[in-house]
Amino acid sequence: MDYRDAGVDVEAGRAFVDQIRNLVQSTFRKEVLGGLGGFGGCFQLPTGYKEPVLVSGTDGVGTKLKIAQILNRHDTVGIDLVGMCVNDVLTSGAEPLFFLDYVATGKLDKEQLTQVVAGIAAGCQLAGSALLGGETAEMPGFYQVGEYDLAGFCVGIVEKSRMLDGSQVKVGDVAIGLASAGVHSNGLSLVRKIVSDGGFAWSDTPDLLNGNSIGATFLTPTRIYVKSVLAALQTGLEIHGMAHITGGGLPENLPRCLGKGQAIKLIPNSWTIPPVFHWLAEAGSVSAEAMYNTFNMGIGFVLLVPPQQAEQVITHFQALDIPANVIGEVIEGTGELVGLF
């Protein structure tokens, strides 16, 4: 016997690496040292920092992968993988420098996984991050044929004096919500249950989804906010705090960027909730509380800024086709979210 008899095709693995080489190299920044295929990826720190701080993050895509595999569409989940990591790192004020991925599958399908890596490369380009390396694991018996799982790892950099850690946030700061592109990559287990229990097909096109199929709607990738937020900082706009609205929605994530003795008071009806969330609530008979504790409800990222800069910040993002609204303010409190229900 050999390794192929056990279900692992080493030659196919080598061919896959050759097939994705150009995709990976298309993301390289000038700080990347060496090429693809080494035991480790090498990256030279950018110059100009006095006290550079490295900020790291890791995440996955969750059961959104099930939808991609059911529909045999794999070109967007790689963008999700990058987005979930780089948006987290961004909340410290850090610029994502490089990204690594881990792909595990039951049987290596070059065409399927090339689509995945193409999405990862596209996400890295949207974030200005180099795809520095990765690992592909063929694991027969652990995953079924056609199944795969993803994990991502990101490292960013920020000047220590400019790092956001909650201490800059002041009572009276305004919370500006940046629109999401949909459900992003959280709450998909509930989405799948609503679709299954409701007898829906992924190809169905409910009226509330404006003619789009259920499957295409929920494969819309996570919006990556990196370049737009870093551009705001580079133009001198003052940002005191940031929150990436992921699992747990606004109630869990927005208070994470506050300082001690602070809370957030939301302004009711201050943003438009996208139709996809109305459809989920109706199709699954999901309560408002459960919706807000599961989904981003149309707000993918939040900035805390001085009130006198709110209008400038909103104008900056709207010019980049990212809808932005004042959704609340910082008040005295103990880390709670006030006024949501």
Side-chain angles (χ1 to χ4, degrees):
M1 291 189 293
D2 61 16
Y3 215 1
R4 183 176 294 179
D5 294 324
V8 179
D9 192 334
V10 176
E11 292 300 323
R14 293 193 185 108
F16 172 63
V17 172
D18 288 338
Q19 189 161 321
I20 64 172
R21 188 176 301 277
N22 289 338
L23 290 170
V24 174
Q25 291 176 341
S26 71
T27 72
F28 281 4
R29 298 166 47 128
K30 64 181 181 180
E31 296 91 351
V32 175
L33 304 177
L36 190 65
F39 287 103
C42 300
F43 193 97
Q44 181 174 318
L45 289 181
T47 59
Y49 289 86
K50 295 180 180 179
E51 294 182 285
V53 174
L54 297 180
V55 182
S56 62
T58 182
D59 211 334
V61 181
T63 61
K64 190 170 190 175
L65 295 177
K66 282 286 189 183
I67 303 174
Q69 290 160 25
I70 289 168
L71 298 179
N72 195 28
R73 180 182 170 188
H74 312 281
D75 57 337
T76 63
V77 290
I79 300 175
D80 287 297
L81 184 67
V82 176
M84 296 302 289
C85 296
V86 298
N87 287 342
D88 276 356
V89 166
L90 176 64
T91 62
S92 297
E95 174 191 2
L97 295 177
F98 58 84
F99 186 86
L100 297 98
D101 65 77
Y102 173 79
V103 183
T105 185
K107 182 174 176 58
L108 197 152
D109 181 328
K110 286 192 297 181
E111 298 307 317
Q112 178 196 62
L113 296 188
T114 296
Q115 288 184 49
V116 173
V117 175
I120 294 172
C124 284
Q125 290 170 344
L126 289 170
S129 177
L131 179 52
L132 194 59
E135 172 71 9
T136 303
E138 195 172 20
M139 301 169 64
F142 197 90
Y143 296 96
Q144 298 300 312
V145 174
E147 289 184 349
Y148 59 86
D149 197 9
L150 304 176
F153 314 87
C154 178
V155 173
I157 190 169
V158 63
E159 188 71 67
K160 187 176 182 180
S161 62
R162 297 179 181 176
M163 185 171 64
L164 301 180
D165 58 7
S167 63
Q168 299 90 342
V169 179
K170 298 177 175 61
V171 170
D173 280 348
V174 171
I176 295 177
L178 305 183
S180 68
V183 299
H184 287 181
S185 295
N186 300 105
L188 274 300
S189 293
L190 178 55
V191 168
R192 290 169 49 241
K193 182 171 177 58
I194 289 171
V195 171
S196 175
D197 289 2
F200 297 100
W202 293 105
S203 58
D204 288 348
T205 54
D207 291 340
L208 269 175
L209 299 186
N210 300 319
N212 296 311
S213 72
I214 295 173
T217 297
F218 290 108
L219 283 182
T220 301
T222 301
R223 176 170 269 159
I224 293 176
Y225 300 93
V226 172
K227 288 185 177 180
S228 60
V229 171
L230 291 179
L233 290 169
Q234 289 163 1
T235 57
L237 292 173
E238 193 175 346
I239 298 175
H240 291 165
M242 306 185 203
H244 183 201
I245 310 306
T246 54
L250 286 163
E252 183 173 324
N253 292 286
L254 188 45
R256 294 169 67 182
C257 65
L258 297 174
K260 292 182 179 180
Q262 297 174 344
I264 294 276
K265 182 179 180 180
L266 288 182
I267 302 171
N269 305 312
S270 54
W271 74 92
T272 301
I273 296 174
V276 61
F277 298 105
H278 294 298
W279 181 80
L280 284 168
E282 179 181 302
S285 298
V286 186
S287 69
E289 184 175 2
M291 289 293 296
Y292 276 95
N293 280 293
T294 305
F295 302 110
N296 65 56
M297 300 303 286
I299 300 294
F301 206 83
V302 177
L303 309 173
L304 302 182
V305 306
Q308 62 270 22
Q309 291 210 11
E311 187 175 342
Q312 290 175 271
V313 172
I314 289 172
T315 299
H316 168 82
F317 286 97
Q318 289 180 339
L320 297 172
D321 294 323
I322 301 176
N325 300 87
V326 173
I327 65 169
E329 66 173 328
V330 180
I331 61 173
E332 293 182 355
T334 55
E336 68 270 30
L337 197 62
V338 179
L340 186 57
F341 303 110

